[in-house]
Amino acid sequence: ATNGHSEQNFAFFEIKKGEESLRNQRLSEEIPSALKTLQIGMHLQPVFNLKEQKFVSAEALARWNHPTLGLLSPKVFIPLFEKRKMILELDLSILESVCVLQQSLVESGIEPLPISVNLSQLDFYDSTLFETILTIVDNHFLSHELICFEITESTSMDDPKQLLKTLELLRAQGFILLLDDYGSGYSSLRLLTSSPIDILKIDMEFTQQIGTSSRVETALQNIVTMAKNLGVGMIAEGVENKAQADFFQSIGCNQIQGYLYSKPLPVQAYRLFLQTMK
Ligand code: C2E
Ligand code: MG
Ligand code: MG
Ligand code: MG
């Protein structure tokens, strides 16, 4: 009976998987029209500084507002954009939206916070990435400190020289660089030591183990020490409760991103949030 049960579960899983791959195939075909008809938007998640007791920055997170499936998670569609080689278009459209928002905040007299845009490693294969980014930002007359870039080292690059060169150029222009998902990537230590990273973001996988794994807690303590010795800032990702925030504060990691302080907000709600913040 136990066997029959697990077989049933397995069959169910197979059907689900089949449905999922069919959906992904359809979604993938819809990518060009989704970009053209502005179904791709963003939410903004503020980052809180425990020491200063205020919000200090935000992250732009892509959202696909699908006409029949509703709001889709980037965990579903980012891999599809990457496979179709259209992730650069998506990332640049988010950058454009962020610039439009920042410019409109400045023009309305609302003080903006720096906003970070996620860049896929694949974006760096385009040798004109730096010039393209600079053109977009400067078209909106923005101070470069208002735009930051997050990168993840997920796979090894054939030619990391191009990536490093682009990061150097962006840094020299005053853009803040963040290393995303630190600790969970392919070899994040290499990127951290070879590129001008300003801030590392501790992956939420580790945040979730605070209180249950002393090995994780020891590792986090040492990451904080290393970051301090390197002169690099830190943000803890995925902080959902007070115990996690308290732990990060106790080890000297004061910047917190997570549901405890704010969920990612739609653009209009983010504007209101900025206005009511002080
Ligand atoms: P990420 O860059 O590490 O972004 C943080 C993710 O954690 C976001 O998921 C955010 O909604 C989620 N999060 C924040 N606080 C909490 C919390 O307290 N608890 C939990 N459980 N989750 C929290 P999201 O928006 O689903 O994005 C997933 C990933 O998709 C991002 O991870 C990023 O790698 C990628 N992504 C999102 N937007 C873009 C984009 O515009 N371009 C590229 N290339 N990738 C993107
Ligand atoms: Mg990110
Ligand atoms: Mg992250
Ligand atoms: Mg992450």
Side-chain angles (χ1 to χ4, degrees), residues 51 59 67 82 91 96 117 120 138 188 191 198 212 214 276:
K51 211 168 176 180
E59 176 177 13
E82 288 185 332
D91 289 342
E96 172 70 25
V117 171
S120 163
D138 288 349
S188 28
L191 203 49
D198 297 286
T212 58
S214 62
T276 53

Side-chain angles (χ1 to χ4, degrees), residues 6 20 39 74 77-78 85 92 134 142 145 155 160 162 170 187 197 223 243 278:
S6 69
E20 191 180 290
Q39 289 172 34
F77 64 80
I78 295 292
K85 306 255 180 297
L92 293 177
L134 200 60
L142 291 170
E145 300 96 78
T155 52
Q162 171 119 339
L170 288 171
S187 165
I197 294 291
I223 290 172
K278 11 200 138 76

Side-chain angles (χ1 to χ4, degrees), residues 16-270:
K16 279 294 229 197
K17 270 212 87 115
E19 279 172 12
E20 191 180 290
S21 74
L22 190 64
R23 183 204 58 187
N24 284 350
Q25 203 181 313
R26 289 204 183 124
L27 281 177
S28 179
E29 284 158 18
E30 292 175 34
I31 284 174
S33 73
L35 282 167
K36 230 179 286 153
T37 60
L38 308 177
Q39 289 172 34
I40 309 294
M42 64 178 178
H43 283 180
L44 297 139
Q45 187 177 31
V47 174
F48 192 76
N49 187 313
L50 292 167
K51 211 168 176 180
E52 299 169 16
Q53 282 295 303
K54 63 178 191 193
F55 289 97
V56 289
S57 63
E59 176 177 13
L61 295 159
R63 297 291 181 261
W64 182 343
N65 197 353
H66 192 276
T68 57
L69 298 171
L71 207 59
L72 297 175
S73 159
K75 283 176 209 112
V76 170
F77 64 80
I78 295 292
L80 305 177
F81 276 77
E82 288 185 332
K83 233 178 274 159
R84 275 205 77 151
K85 306 255 180 297
M86 296 200 71
I87 190 68
L88 180 62
E89 281 79 355
L90 179 136
D91 289 342
L92 293 177
S93 92
I94 300 293
L95 174 63
E96 172 70 25
S97 301
V98 166
C99 291
V100 167
L101 171 62
Q102 297 289 52
Q103 187 182 3
S104 97
L105 290 171
V106 171
E107 285 170 359
S108 336
I110 303 167
E111 203 187 317
L113 296 175
I115 298 179
S116 61
V117 171
N118 288 282
L119 294 177
S120 163
Q121 289 251 339
L122 298 181
D123 296 341
F124 293 88
Y125 284 110
D126 184 326
S127 60
T128 64
L129 179 64
F130 167 70
E131 285 81 6
T132 309
I133 286 175
L134 200 60
T135 304
I136 293 173
V137 176
D138 288 349
N139 274 341
H140 295 275
F141 316 106
L142 291 170
S143 156
H144 293 179
E145 300 96 78
L146 290 177
I147 307 290
C148 318
F149 294 99
E150 295 193 9
I151 39 163
T152 323
E153 195 167 35
S154 47
T155 52
S156 78
M157 258 198 136
D158 299 339
D159 183 15
K161 269 198 223 93
Q162 171 119 339
L163 169 73
L164 296 181
K165 178 85 191 129
T166 306
L167 292 179
E168 296 281 357
L169 289 168
L170 288 171
R171 189 65 195 84
Q173 282 290 328
F175 297 108
I176 300 284
L177 303 179
L178 298 93
L179 182 51
D180 210 350
D181 304 334
Y182 185 78
S184 73
Y186 178 79
S187 165
S188 28
L189 199 53
R190 187 175 44 172
L191 203 49
L192 181 63
T193 52
S194 61
S195 63
I197 294 291
D198 297 286
I199 294 173
L200 65 83
K201 300 187 75 171
I202 299 170
D203 195 80
M204 75 170 92
E205 168 183 337
F206 303 109
T207 304
Q208 285 161 351
Q209 294 179 71
I210 291 167
T212 58
S213 166
S214 62
R215 293 173 82 98
V216 164
E217 290 177 3
T218 302
L220 288 175
Q221 237 158 343
N222 283 281
I223 290 172
V224 171
T225 305
M226 176 194 64
K228 287 203 167 140
N229 289 338
L230 287 172
V232 167
M234 278 160 291
I235 297 176
E237 296 192 281
V239 174
E240 293 181 354
N241 60 53
K242 182 87 175 27
Q244 293 164 345
D246 287 346
F247 175 80
F248 278 117
Q249 190 166 28
S250 78
I251 63 171
C253 174
N254 292 304
Q255 300 203 68
I256 301 291
Q257 183 177 359
Y259 299 165
L260 179 65
Y261 284 96
S262 176
K263 294 218 163 177
L265 305 168
V267 176
Q268 195 47 36
Y270 177 75

